[in-house]
Every structure is written in structure tokens, then in C-alpha cells.
Amino acid sequence: MNRENLKTRDEQIKKVESYRWVVWTILAAVYIFVTFHRMSAGVVKNDLQQAFSIGAAQFANIGSMYFYAYFIMQIPSGILADKLGPKRTVSMFSILAAIGSVVFGLAPNIGVAYVGRFLVGIGVSVVFICLIKIQSRWFYSRNFALMIGFAGLAANLGAILAQTPLVIAAQKFGWRNTFVFMGLAMVVFAALTMIFVKDDPKDMGLPGMDELENRPAVSANIKVMPALKSIITNKRTWVISLAYIGLYTGYVVFLGTFGVSFLMQAYSLTKVKAANYVISAVIGSSVSGLIIGYLSDRFKNRKIPLVLSTTLTLIGWIILIYTRMPLSLLTPFLFVFGFVMTGFTMCWTVGNEVNDRRLSGMATGVVNCVGFLGAAVIPVVMGNILDKYKNVPAVGYEKAYFVLIILMAVSTAASFFSAETRGKNIYQEK
């Protein structure tokens, strides 16, 4: 290759390495909306119970409608990401999520509220998998875990918005107006996605990651059923999914469903103060994704971070539910708790590395499917227990969270049997 061609090649690589951040930032911004809606129900729990005259179980169903939809859509989301491409998939479904948010905000009764939350869940269900797909097509494979950490940072920005800022917005503008506004804002980002996002550098006439990393080109001609069969029959997929379910379900329950109300009851806190303590866990989670991802990539190790995360999270749950620490220790404890529970980001990485790399969307979808099943079912089970013990809420929370602790113990055991990939794709076709 002569000097002129080398210069052109270098310029193309620089364009890839700069424009990829435009693509990633837009989808990461959309992902903020995803986690805002995921975590928002717990903070406006009292408002929703008052507006619709419902108990803890029906409230949990409002949250779970999102997760039922998300669960249903995980494998289809992977297929859409792999076949249709992230740009068109996110653009179309973001409009559906926006409609759902507006419907939820204007809901005259609990039935319409369920429909709104379900539409939101369907609409946002595609975003994370499309973000992972974009990262696999625009970023070097050596930075995969780190980029998942950055995705986690975007997620936690949404979770932060769904804590104290949501409390303040709901008090000032009303919870209904807040959700209507979030729906309208999402329309703007759907438009930005359609205009600026590209599925692959090759769509701009630039060299793709396959070429830059000297690896075989990925074909878009993927046969869906054989692809799903290869993922579902892979034992390593199920092991990492079991490790994921306890970590992720706990993350959702504490940050999005019963965390604020539990702290209010256990420590006699106001809603704003309880939400501020939950933000400590969110900040720990934000830092965790970046640090764990960086260290995992740096030392080419996936299993040790995952085992440590599941084990320490299990211990953390037992301490949080069955002890009462001084308030001065609650903030640092919750920061560390949020940090260790976010080891579930390793599960997405390993799920991709133990399956055919062409199927990153579907592999992530299958792993997510298991986690979101837990996030849909467990809060409803917990809500029924809380309703049963509504006259003795302290006992109710202990019994409700015991269900989650059992699930977390299963995930901890599974993490010890997870595959160590050393930061490489170890899938071998039979």
C-alpha cells in the first residue's frame, strides 16, 4: 500500500473513531429514557396508589407490565437488531414508547395505566440490544466490556432521573404531566436516531470493524431459527443467564420498585431522603460498570469479577434487610451495594462471548429474557406478601425480600459455573 493510500486509510479510521461517538451518544441518550421508565414506578408509588385506589400487589403489576412487555420482546428485539438494524428499529419503537408514556400519564383508570406501561415496555425493549449491536459494529472488540460499562453509565443516569428529580418534578408539575413530557421528549430522540445513527461504518463508505480487526465479515443473511437454536442449546448461555437473573432482579426491585418505600419504612425517612439514599446505590452502580468493564478488559478475566459480584451482593442483601445500621453508614453501604450488584454487566459480555459473534443481538436478548422474567414476576410476588402483612410492614418487607435473597443465592451458585472467556469469543460451531 503506497503512502497516499495509507493516508486515506488513516483518515477513514479517524472518521470511524470520531463518528462512532455520535452514533453511540444518541442511542445512549435514548437508553436514559429506557431506565427512567424502568425505575420510575417506585418513586411515585404513593401517587399511583392514591390516583387509582390500589394496594401493593396492583402497584407491583404497574411496574411489571413494563417487564412483561420487555420479556416478550427480548428475542424479537435481537432478531430486529440483527436483521433490520438498530437505526430503524430504535426509531420506530421509540415512537411507540412515547405514545405509551403519554397514555400512562393521562390514564383515567388502572386498566389504561396498565396499557400505557405495556406500550412503554414494548417500545423501549429494543434499545439496549440495539446499543450492544452498535457497539459491536462501531467499536473494537478489545473494548467490549468497557463499552458495556459506558452503557451502564447511561442507564444509571436514567435511574438517577427516576429518583429525587422525579420526586421534585412530580411534586411541582404532577406525576401525570411529567410522564406526558417524557413521552414528547422521546419523540425528539427518535428523530435524531433516524437522522444521524448509522448501523455500520460501511453505511458511510468507511471501513467496518471486521476489516479493521482483520476478522471474517459478518453477513446480514442470518437464518433466525437455526441462530436461536444455537444460542438456546448452548449450556453456557443458561449458566450465565442464571447468574444474571438474581443480580438484575435485585437491581430493579431496589432501585425501581420497593427500595424507596423499604427505606422509608425501615428508617422512618421522608420520600425525598429515601430517594437520595437510593441515588447512592445508583452512583455506585454507575462507577461499577466502568471500573469492572475496564478491569475485566485489562486483565482478560470475566469469571472472577462475576463471582465476587454475586457473592458480595448476596451478603449485602442479607445485611440490608435483616440489620439496621446507623444512617451515617447507610450512604457508603448503599454505594458499595450498588457497585457490586452491577456485576450483571459481565453477564451481557459473557453471553456474547460464548455464542456466535454474528448473533450479538439475539444472544443478548436471550440472556435479558431470563433476567426480565425475574424482574416481572418477583415484584408481584413481593407485592402480594406486602399486602398480606400490610398491618405489620416490617415483617412484610423481611418476608418479601427473602424471596429475592433465595433467587440471589441461586445466581451466586451459577456464577461459579460460568465460562471464563479471557476476553475472547470462545464459541465453536458443532
Side-chain angles (χ1 to χ4, degrees):
M1 186 177 291
N2 60 40
R3 184 174 298 178
E4 185 176 340
N5 288 338
L6 284 172
K7 183 179 179 180
T8 301
R9 172 84 166 181
D10 288 341
E11 289 175 351
Q12 289 180 328
I13 292 174
K14 287 179 181 178
K15 286 181 180 179
V16 171
E17 293 178 346
S18 60
Y19 196 79
R20 64 185 180 180
W21 290 108
V22 174
V23 175
W24 185 88
T25 300
I26 292 172
L27 288 191
V30 178
Y31 193 37
I32 290 173
F33 287 89
V34 175
T35 49
F36 169 84
H37 284 293
R38 185 177 303 163
M39 302 302 179
S40 59
V43 170
V44 292
K45 176 176 180 287
N46 293 340
D47 300 288
L48 295 175
Q49 287 183 306
Q50 184 177 358
F52 301 119
S53 301
I54 56 176
Q58 285 180 299
F59 160 74
N61 272 323
I62 291 177
S64 290
M65 281 296 162
Y66 174 105
F67 292 105
Y68 289 134
Y70 215 103
F71 166 73
I72 291 169
M73 282 297 297
Q74 283 311 282
I75 293 176
S77 294
I79 295 170
L80 288 167
D82 289 336
K83 297 284 286 183
L84 188 61
K87 175 178 180 171
R88 285 184 288 175
T89 302
V90 171
S91 299
M92 292 187 296
F93 278 79
S94 291
I95 297 297
L96 183 62
I99 294 171
S101 186
V102 173
V103 169
F104 180 67
L106 300 178
N109 54 57
I110 188 66
V112 177
Y114 285 157
V115 172
R117 284 286 290 180
F118 192 81
L119 289 176
V120 169
I122 293 287
V124 301
S125 64
V126 303
V127 178
F128 176 72
I129 291 177
C130 286
L131 182 57
I132 296 300
K133 186 72 177 181
I134 282 291
Q135 289 178 181
S136 72
R137 305 314 303 155
W138 277 91
F139 290 85
Y140 298 108
S141 56
R142 64 177 179 269
N143 301 130
F144 194 86
L146 178 61
M147 290 310 301
I148 284 186
F150 276 113
L153 178 61
N156 284 303
L157 287 174
I160 289 174
L161 286 177
Q163 301 300 325
T164 307
L166 176 56
V167 172
I168 295 170
Q171 289 174 347
K172 186 171 183 179
F173 305 108
W175 70 269
R176 292 182 180 277
N177 289 333
T178 301
F179 281 94
V180 170
F181 171 79
M182 294 301 287
L184 296 176
M186 200 164 189
V187 174
V188 175
F189 283 91
L192 291 175
T193 301
M194 180 58 69
I195 296 168
F196 295 107
V197 169
K198 305 295 181 185
D199 291 334
D200 195 286
K202 291 182 286 187
D203 294 344
M204 299 175 66
L206 300 172
M209 284 296 118
D210 295 329
E211 181 181 342
L212 294 180
E213 294 193 314
N214 296 315
R215 63 193 189 192
V218 173
S219 172
N221 186 25
I222 296 170
K223 295 181 179 179
V224 173
M225 295 312 296
L228 277 176
K229 182 179 178 181
S230 75
I231 296 168
I232 292 173
T233 58
N234 186 343
K235 292 180 181 178
R236 290 168 169 171
T237 301
W238 293 105
V239 172
I240 201 62
S241 297
L242 283 176
Y244 178 64
I245 188 172
L247 285 169
Y248 190 73
T249 301
Y251 173 86
V252 168
V253 165
F254 188 71
L255 272 62
T257 311
F258 294 120
V260 170
S261 59
F262 167 75
L263 293 178
M264 289 172 67
Q265 185 279 321
Y267 290 94
S268 300
L269 300 171
T270 66
K271 184 187 291 187
V272 171
K273 288 184 178 179
N276 284 336
Y277 279 113
V278 172
I279 285 178
S280 301
V282 176
I283 294 172
S285 177
S286 303
V287 175
S288 171
L290 294 174
I291 293 178
I292 291 178
Y294 171 78
L295 293 176
S296 177
D297 283 341
R298 174 71 176 79
F299 295 104
K300 304 297 181 187
N301 196 294
R302 308 302 194 206
K303 187 169 184 175
I304 290 177
L306 182 59
V307 169
L308 287 174
S309 175
T310 54
T311 303
L312 293 174
T313 300
L314 177 60
I315 294 170
W317 274 118
I318 294 170
I319 292 172
L320 178 66
I321 303 306
Y322 298 109
T323 68
R324 293 294 175 267
M325 66 189 74
L327 285 175
S328 59
L329 295 180
L330 191 56
T331 295
F333 172 82
L334 290 176
F335 176 87
V336 174
F337 188 50
F339 185 99
V340 297
M341 76 164 65
T342 310
F344 61 73
T345 58
M346 280 292 97
C347 300
W348 297 326
T349 302
V350 174
N352 274 269
E353 291 175 344
V354 299
N355 283 291
D356 190 331
R357 64 183 180 81
R358 295 174 301 170
L359 310 177
S360 59
M362 279 183 264
T364 305
V366 171
V367 174
N368 257 354
C369 201
V370 176
F372 278 90
L373 179 61
V377 173
I378 296 300
V380 176
V381 174
M382 294 176 67
N384 281 310
I385 294 171
L386 290 172
D387 278 343
K388 184 178 179 180
Y389 291 91
K390 62 183 177 182
N391 294 325
V392 278
V395 175
Y397 276 109
E398 287 189 3
K399 290 183 177 294
Y401 273 105
F402 181 72
V403 175
L404 182 59
I405 289 171
I406 293 298
L407 184 64
M408 190 62 238
V410 172
S411 290
T412 302
S415 70
F416 283 88
F417 295 94
S418 61
E420 176 55 78
T421 67
R422 298 294 177 190
K424 298 180 180 179
N425 190 287
I426 60 172
Y427 174 80
Q428 292 182 342
E429 189 172 357
K430 296 178 182 179

